[in-house]
Amino acid sequence: MVDRLASVLADFPIRSPCMERDTVAATRTTRVRYLMLFLVFVGTVINYVDRANLSVAAPLLKHEFGLGPVEIGVLFSAYAWTYVIANIPGGWVVDRFGSRAMYALAVLVWSAFTLAQGFAGRFATIFGLRLGVGVAEAPTFPVNNRVVSIWFTQRERGTATSVYLVGQYIGMAALTPALFWVAHAFGWRAIFWATGAVGIVWAGVWYLLYRDPEQCSWVSEAELAYIRNGGALVGSNQAGAAKAQPQKFPWRKLATVFRNRQIIAICMGKFASLSSLYFFLTWFPSYLITERHMTVLKAGGMTAVPFIAASIGVVAGGTLSDFLLRRGASVGAARKTPIITGLLLVPTMTLSLLTDSNAVVIAIMSFAFFAQGVASASWSLIGDIAPKSMIGITGGAVNFAGNLSGIVTPIAIGFILRETGSFGWALGLISVFAVMGALAYTFLLGEVKRIDIGDEAVADLPGAASRPGAERHEATPSTQD
């Protein structure tokens, strides 16, 4: 069914300026990769707003449906149940059918599920629709990782990754106050109607504008040469090649990837980082309303502040990583430094237990979320180690493990609240996860190098040379898994 839908969408006869490269684009210097990055950024904003809109609605709908903290925690986690399961096949369909068709289809489907939540009349209905959102969103971060990997040089990849990752936080910072106002003025159902409608429109915009580098008429030969020579995986995993030579799901190669110590370490670190993120995406508004006794509208405004801080953290982490790489640091040192530093600073959130001032609490939480943003640079690390013909599926595998925290964290906090009536132990749990993640990156990850699955030539990573400014880069693969 997925094969048929993706194939039809990929062949649909809509033309855009990116269908065939023209002679003008071939003779001028372009920066088309930044347009493609902007498209990914906006898609990520919509993605995370549709993940987190339930946290805005929860303080209102729990009274209508008579839900306790454990039930709310289960509802928060519903999205992650199917999201983690669908991540690996989601990454595989991205490798097979490409970014354009699969992302458009994913946005369309999850937005339809989001809009339908506004018509739900009971707990079970919302729970089922959240499961649907989780399935449909599974290909999105493998797409994001793939787009950055094929459009950007390795020395730009950390910054480019931070730009689309910042969409996770910018969207919530800018739109959470608006969503609280919508809920206050029109009721919680209007939140889902508005966010779902926006996503449906964006699915069409993405499909009309996005293309891979070698299929885009806007990109010049000069820009193509620049990104290819800089280590971008131009020409890898093209959907057309996959359709011409259908492939079975690569179970054996995936098992090889999962056994790799680099992947195990990143999975542990991703779980730790996303645990704190899921706290802010799910329980944080309720924390401000129930624990800090803020009004709905004030909580909406205050929720935005930590997300702004996290946005700054994401950009700082990616920029620092690329700066270290340009100054001659190894790929491992450049990628791991901001991640480990950020994770070790996340436990500062427990300092909020020592004050009664809401202003101080917001400042502490903002700093902790800033640190989580710095630690989110692991996606650029995945781009550095994933087998070149398995970028999507490797990203899906790591996202699978990391987003298990989306199941564990909300439910665990729900049980903690039921038993203790306070968020104190919840903040302690998130802090323990963060320290464990930092230890995994420090002692388990080891040398950063691309995984060799035995059937593709792998050159040294740029930046891994002992001398600054080394010009080595990976060869573009000509085969398709």
Side-chain angles (χ1 to χ4, degrees), residues 11-33:
D11 294 331
F12 194 75
I14 294 179
R15 299 183 64 82
S16 83
C18 280
M19 289 298 290
E20 297 174 359
R21 192 174 304 113
D22 54 30
T23 56
V24 176
T27 59
R28 69 171 186 264
T29 301
T30 57
R31 299 290 186 273
V32 177
R33 61 192 184 280

